[in-house]
Amino acid sequence: LLVFIAVLVRYSIYFLIESSQLSISSTSSNTSTSSSSTSTSNDNDNNTDNDTNINTNNNSDNVNVKGTVSFESVACAAFGPKAKYFSMGLISTICFFTIAGYGVLLRDMLLPLSDLIFKPNDTTTTANKGPTLAHNITLLCVVFLITPLCTLQNLTPLEKVGAASMTSIFLLACCISYRSVECNFSSKYDDIRHMPWQEYISYMPPKSTSDDVDDDGDDDGDAITTWDNILNALPILLSVFMCHFNVLPVHNELSQPTPKRVNVLFKSTIWGACIFYLIFAFIGSMYGNCTESGVVEGNVLLSFDEDDLLLMIGRGCLSLTITLAFP
């Protein structure tokens, strides 16, 4: 399912880039026609100067092509001026809900830091009352600190920020992988490991049982495949490839954006991310062999002990990744 979504995203990006190039060609042809009609109306004595000016304008247009493409211009060229505002509304809506999701995730990841700073009472724990004003204040402070990076007009100054974000998520994956390998191969987990790792691997979706369960926990019903788990996971699988609002800005920042370079960039990005998700999702799910329930939580970090130093580092890396995703 993840590979199928990756294929759809790959081709959707391809068509998006192609449509942007068509809009550029349409605009350039209109500009060239206007320039040529203007030049033919001038006197013969000024033809040389006019040709020089036209060439200069064309060269400057070619240089500035990579910095002028936007969703509004593509929509305007394809569907007319009214579509420009409609596309702006769509992009704003997507970015708003994306930022809201990042905010909720970041607030949850910052709970230990918030509790350390504000020293909550035992009677006002997060488990009992949910996020508090102190937790929201901590989130707002972090967002305030990262806001200056969100005011930049292009993505080029954020290249080191992006590299730091990718490094952080890779470190998180390494932390989870290390614990998962320990779970299935280390002797110190022999007492809590449910079964050998070969037997724990499942090639189908998780199983659930019918409502007929004895008091001792034995299942009297037939195991059925819960395909609703796949439907519940589908929005997450779709959101991991939610990158379309960054496609044209990234394309604008490329030097020498030839079709071959653009194709290699986006193809390697999509398939690199897909392979990364597949590998570390499999490794992370194998830690369920050492959990009490026999499966990992939807948020795999909740399956580890809160005082696990290695996973505390991993949580810090995830917090940094989410924070750096705002710009």
Side-chain angles (χ1 to χ4, degrees):
L1 184 59
L2 187 67
V3 173
F4 176 72
I5 294 174
V7 172
L8 294 180
V9 172
R10 170 69 187 92
Y11 280 100
S12 65
I13 292 177
Y14 170 79
F15 289 121
L16 178 59
I17 296 297
E18 289 297 312
S19 63
S20 68
Q21 297 306 302
L22 289 175
S23 67
I24 294 173
S25 301
S26 175
T27 304
S28 299
S29 63
N30 292 336
T31 303
S32 300
T33 303
S34 176
S35 299
S36 61
S37 62
T38 302
S39 63
T40 55
S41 65
N42 292 330
D43 295 332
N44 293 331
D45 293 338
N46 296 327
N47 283 341
T48 304
D49 294 336
N50 288 336
D51 291 340
T52 303
N53 291 333
I54 292 172
N55 291 333
T56 302
N57 291 332
N58 289 336
N59 290 334
S60 63
D61 288 342
N62 291 334
V63 172
N64 294 327
V65 159
K66 65 178 182 179
T68 58
V69 183
S70 65
F71 283 96
E72 302 92 84
S73 63
V74 173
C76 183
F79 303 105
K82 293 184 178 180
K84 171 182 177 180
Y85 302 101
F86 182 71
S87 64
M88 292 172 64
L90 287 178
I91 296 298
S92 300
T93 302
I94 293 174
C95 291
F96 173 79
F97 285 109
T98 301
I99 292 174
Y102 281 151
V104 173
L105 289 174
L106 182 59
R107 183 188 61 189
D108 293 341
M109 298 307 303
L110 293 174
L111 292 182
L113 176 61
S114 179
D115 293 340
L116 179 65
I117 296 175
F118 293 98
K119 307 289 185 183
N121 298 326
D122 294 336
T123 58
T124 60
T125 58
T126 302
N128 294 331
K129 294 191 175 182
T132 63
L133 178 61
H135 298 149
N136 291 324
I137 291 176
T138 304
L139 169 64
L140 291 177
C141 290
V142 173
V143 172
F144 177 78
L145 293 176
I146 202 67
T147 297
L149 294 178
C150 301
T151 62
L152 299 175
Q153 295 184 355
N154 54 65
L155 298 178
T156 300
L158 295 174
E159 57 182 352
K160 294 183 179 179
V161 174
S165 178
M166 294 178 63
T167 302
S168 297
I169 199 66
F170 180 76
L171 290 176
L172 169 64
C174 290
C175 293
I176 295 175
S177 299
Y178 181 81
R179 282 288 182 261
S180 182
V181 171
E182 267 194 337
C183 162
N184 290 278
F185 296 99
S186 177
S187 58
K188 69 179 183 179
Y189 282 86
D190 288 342
D191 295 335
I192 59 176
R193 186 184 302 124
H194 294 287
M195 62 189 73
W197 66 271
Q198 301 95 327
E199 299 178 10
Y200 180 77
I201 295 178
S202 175
Y203 298 97
M204 291 296 293
K207 302 284 187 177
S208 67
T209 58
S210 62
D211 295 333
D212 297 330
V213 180
D214 292 336
D215 294 336
D216 59 357
D218 293 334
D219 178 24
D220 290 340
D222 296 331
I224 58 175
T225 301
T226 56
W227 293 101
D228 59 313
N229 290 336
I230 296 180
L231 297 178
N232 291 332
L234 186 60
I236 299 177
L237 296 178
L238 292 173
S239 64
V240 298
F241 291 112
M242 186 177 291
C243 60
H244 292 75
F245 47 81
N246 283 328
V247 170
L248 293 183
V250 169
H251 183 268
N252 291 340
E253 299 297 320
L254 293 177
S255 59
Q256 301 178 0
T258 62
K260 181 178 180 180
R261 285 169 55 86
V262 172
N263 185 57
V264 170
L265 171 65
F266 288 107
K267 183 185 294 184
S268 60
T269 301
I270 295 299
W271 289 114
C274 182
I275 294 173
F276 177 86
Y277 291 137
L278 287 173
I279 292 176
F280 289 105
F282 170 76
I283 296 176
S285 66
M286 291 298 293
Y287 186 78
N289 198 16
C290 295
T291 61
E292 183 177 354
S293 62
V295 294
V296 295
E297 299 288 342
N299 180 356
V300 66
L301 295 177
L302 298 178
S303 301
F304 300 93
D305 296 334
E306 293 184 0
D307 57 351
D308 190 328
L309 179 60
L310 184 63
L311 268 297
M312 289 178 64
I313 297 175
R315 292 184 180 94
C317 290
L318 180 58
S319 300
L320 179 62
T321 297
I322 297 174
T323 302
L324 297 181
F326 277 87

